[in-house]
Amino acid sequence: MKIKVSLGITIGLMAITAAVTFIITSNVTLEMFNNKIKSVSEKQEFYSKLSEIDTYSRTHYIGEIDEAKLIEGMVQGYIGGVGDGYAEYLTAEDYAKRQNEQTGVSVWLGFTYEKEPGGYIRITEVHPGTSAEETGLLAGDIITAVNNTDVIAFEGGYDEAVSLFNCEEGTRVKLYVKRTNDDGTSDFITYNVVAQRSEQVTVTGRVIDAIGYIKISSFTDKTESQLKTKLDELISAGASGLVFDMRNNKGGSLESLQKCLDHIIGAGTVVTAEYKNGSTEAVVVCTESEEIKMPMSVIVNQNTAGSSELFAFALAVKCSAHTVGKTTAGKGYLQTAYTCSDGSVVMLSTAILRTDNSGDFNGTGLKPEFDVALSSEIDLNQISDEAALLTDAQLIKALEVTVPKETAE
């Protein structure tokens, strides 16, 4: 049976369809328009405010404005106001240095350092085989002057003083050091340290009562080969369990993390990234089918961040490793570098990183299975191997829980 539809009805249906389509597209367009207007309005307010401040400054400031410093300050202020706790602005030179550090081979003096409360430079670790070790510098030494100038006397203070450590190979840097002795007295010593090109040692370890102890200080391009060598060495020496010390490891590249995990866990996706638009991507995928099947523990603390947190989460879920220590830093975002037209770089958090057992751990960190505090009197950079076995409560606990099943039974 054929049904005839009048021309009037057909036209009516077409009109209704067109009206519905118009309403839907109009609402979407109006929403987009309103959002655009809001964005333009906010940007206009932003530039208007900036213009006012610029006018006042150029009209009334009695000094001379350094245009280069002004631009740098504005950019730093903008990045600081974005709300991204991990965002950074780096000059082309600073970014190149950052990339060079990631290679694990660099020209340096051979020690790591931090700013101490008085504004001077505190040496946190002296690396083996470097000029710093050869000259006699020790962790805990306080550098009070560099190249005959007191650290506080530099126009740029601490930052300018430590910038002198970034020098060409063969450069001799004079350091004036204050060293506090066990009896409370202090020695003042002068050292001449030569900048050398060397591979940074990021993996150290030894066998402790049949347990292989491995400390990973950071993840560089050289960490994977150093870890593989150390694993082979300890397993050949009869290690029946492994303790990984990730304390004060502030991370490194995901590529280095993946290569390291490839020597420990089986094949499969370890870390995924979730981006702003909701899409996800596997960013750490292990390819080696073999895995180390023995008891494991990971020691962490409040300075365990980024890739080192992911390392701990991964071993906990893939290898049933115990976690010991204090809650980690909670740096669970992926940073992406964007290069500006002048070569400078903006680092922004662009994705949430997750493992199978971590969830979104940014800001909360990894809460260890065994919550163990460390005495405030213990300096991990200075404690000897012998003293650690007596006073390092976190290491002692990790060794205790890392036992082969037959031994535990």
Side-chain angles (χ1 to χ4, degrees), residues 271-283 351-352 354:
V271 182
T272 57
E274 180 182 338
Y275 296 90
K276 188 174 183 177
N277 62 5
S279 64
T280 59
E281 176 188 13
V283 290
I352 299 171
R354 292 186 174 90

Side-chain angles (χ1 to χ4, degrees), residues 8 82 93-94 122 168 229 328 347 361 368:
V82 167
E93 294 76 17
D94 288 340
R122 179 180 181 273
E168 295 183 359
T229 299
T328 60
M347 301 287 293
F361 65 95

Side-chain angles (χ1 to χ4, degrees), residues 378-391:
I378 294 179
D379 186 334
L380 292 175
N381 294 311
Q382 297 187 62
I383 189 171
S384 67
D385 292 347
E386 295 74 17
L389 294 177
L390 298 173
T391 59

Side-chain angles (χ1 to χ4, degrees), residues 302-320:
Q302 67 277 7
N303 294 320
T304 302
S307 295
S308 58
E309 292 177 273
L310 293 169
F311 181 92
F313 274 120
L315 261 62
V317 70
K318 301 291 185 181
C319 305
S320 300

Side-chain angles (χ1 to χ4, degrees), residues 101-102 104 112 125 127 200-204 215-224 226-227 245-253 256-257 260 305 307-308 311:
E101 290 172 358
Q102 180 57 42
T112 51
E125 186 174 0
H127 294 261
Q200 182 181 353
V201 178
T202 59
V203 180
T204 56
K215 178 174 178 58
I216 304 177
S217 59
S218 63
F219 289 99
T220 71
D221 294 348
K222 298 295 182 181
T223 302
E224 179 255 344
Q226 293 176 11
L227 176 61
D245 190 344
M246 310 301 291
R247 291 175 293 184
N248 299 331
N249 181 330
K250 297 184 179 179
S253 73
S256 175
L257 170 67
C260 288
S307 295
S308 58
F311 181 92

Side-chain angles (χ1 to χ4, degrees), residues 66-89:
D66 185 321
E67 299 296 337
K69 284 187 177 180
L70 178 62
I71 293 174
E72 289 291 304
M74 289 168 58
V75 173
Q76 293 285 8
Y78 184 93
I79 292 299
V82 167
D84 181 353
Y86 308 121
E88 288 184 275
Y89 168 75

Side-chain angles (χ1 to χ4, degrees), residues 26-80:
S26 293
N27 284 338
V28 173
T29 304
L30 182 60
E31 183 179 355
M32 292 175 63
F33 177 76
N34 287 335
N35 289 336
K36 189 69 175 177
I37 288 296
K38 182 181 179 182
S39 176
V40 170
S41 176
E42 288 175 345
K43 286 183 178 179
Q44 182 178 4
E45 182 180 349
F46 169 76
Y47 290 120
S48 176
K49 183 81 170 183
L50 195 59
S51 178
E52 279 187 277
I53 295 173
D54 186 58
T55 300
Y56 290 141
S57 300
R58 296 183 186 281
T59 303
H60 303 291
Y61 173 48
I62 196 171
E64 292 291 329
I65 294 177
D66 185 321
E67 299 296 337
K69 284 187 177 180
L70 178 62
I71 293 174
E72 289 291 304
M74 289 168 58
V75 173
Q76 293 285 8
Y78 184 93
I79 292 299

